[in-house]
């Protein structure tokens, strides 16, 4: 009977050890669930960060494109302005030359009119 009592005690001890291990396993399962949730949370945060980075990169690319377009437009406007200034300068030179010619023709006309008047005065 001592043998069966020893077996019973061993059986009870084994059941207690089994219950203890089951509790530990249940605790580990809970920890695994928490870790899985944390991992999922970090994964979602990582995805959000990647999405923000992608959007920021796209905005940066769009800004670069707009800047390049703006620079090109500015260069075209500067070129047009230089052409207009050159045209105005040429027109001013042409206007000055035309004024000089007009003054010269006017002086010639005045001289001819005086000469005609002198001729008319001498005939009378």
């Amino acid at each position: 009977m001592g043998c069966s009592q020893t077996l019973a005690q061993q059986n009870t001890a084994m059941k207690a050890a089994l219950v203890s291990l089951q509790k530990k396993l249940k605790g580990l399962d809970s920890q695994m669930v928490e870790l899985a949730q944390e991992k999922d949370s970090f994964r979602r945060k990582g995805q959000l960060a990647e999405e923000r980075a992608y959007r920021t990169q796209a905005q940066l690319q769009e800004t670069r494109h707009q800047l390049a377009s703006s620079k090109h437009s500015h260069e075209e406007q500067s070129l047009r302005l230089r052409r207009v200034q050159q045209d105005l300068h040429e027109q001013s030179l042409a206007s000055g030359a035309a004024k000089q010619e007009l003054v010269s023709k006017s002086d010639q006309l005045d001289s001819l009119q005086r000469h005609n008047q002198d001729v008319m005065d001498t005939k009378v």
Side-chain angles (χ1 to χ4, degrees):
M1 187 138 112
C3 189
S4 100
Q5 189 176 17
T6 303
L7 283 176
Q9 287 174 344
Q10 285 179 349
N11 191 18
T12 302
M14 295 269 284
K15 282 183 183 179
L18 182 59
V19 166
S20 175
L21 286 174
Q22 286 175 334
K23 285 181 182 178
K24 285 182 183 178
L25 184 59
K26 193 172 186 180
L28 289 174
D29 283 344
S30 295
Q31 286 179 352
M32 285 182 59
V33 167
E34 288 176 21
L35 289 173
Q37 289 171 344
E38 283 183 42
K39 178 183 172 185
D40 190 48
S41 174
F42 283 126
R43 184 187 53 78
R44 281 191 304 253
K45 286 178 185 177
Q47 284 176 336
L48 291 175
E50 284 180 20
E51 289 171 7
R52 279 194 304 274
Y54 177 77
R55 283 193 304 270
T56 302
Q57 193 71 15
Q59 290 171 346
L60 181 60
Q61 189 66 23
E62 179 62 25
T63 302
R64 283 183 183 142
H65 175 72
Q66 289 172 352
L67 182 60
S69 176
S70 176
K71 183 179 177 186
H72 180 71
S73 176
H74 175 70
E75 289 170 352
E76 286 179 344
Q77 287 176 346
S78 293
L79 183 60
R80 281 195 295 267
L81 179 60
R82 281 191 296 252
R83 286 180 186 153
V84 167
Q85 287 172 333
Q86 182 66 32
D87 287 348
L88 285 174
H89 180 68
E90 290 172 5
Q91 288 175 5
S92 176
L93 291 176
S95 175
K99 276 184 182 179
Q100 284 181 335
E101 188 176 342
L102 183 60
V103 167
S104 175
K105 297 286 184 189
S106 178
D107 288 346
Q108 287 176 0
L109 181 60
D110 286 344
S111 178
L112 282 174
Q113 285 176 338
R114 276 193 306 273
H115 179 68
N116 280 344
Q117 188 65 42
D118 287 344
V119 170
M120 293 292 263
D121 287 344
T122 56
K123 281 190 175 181
V124 175

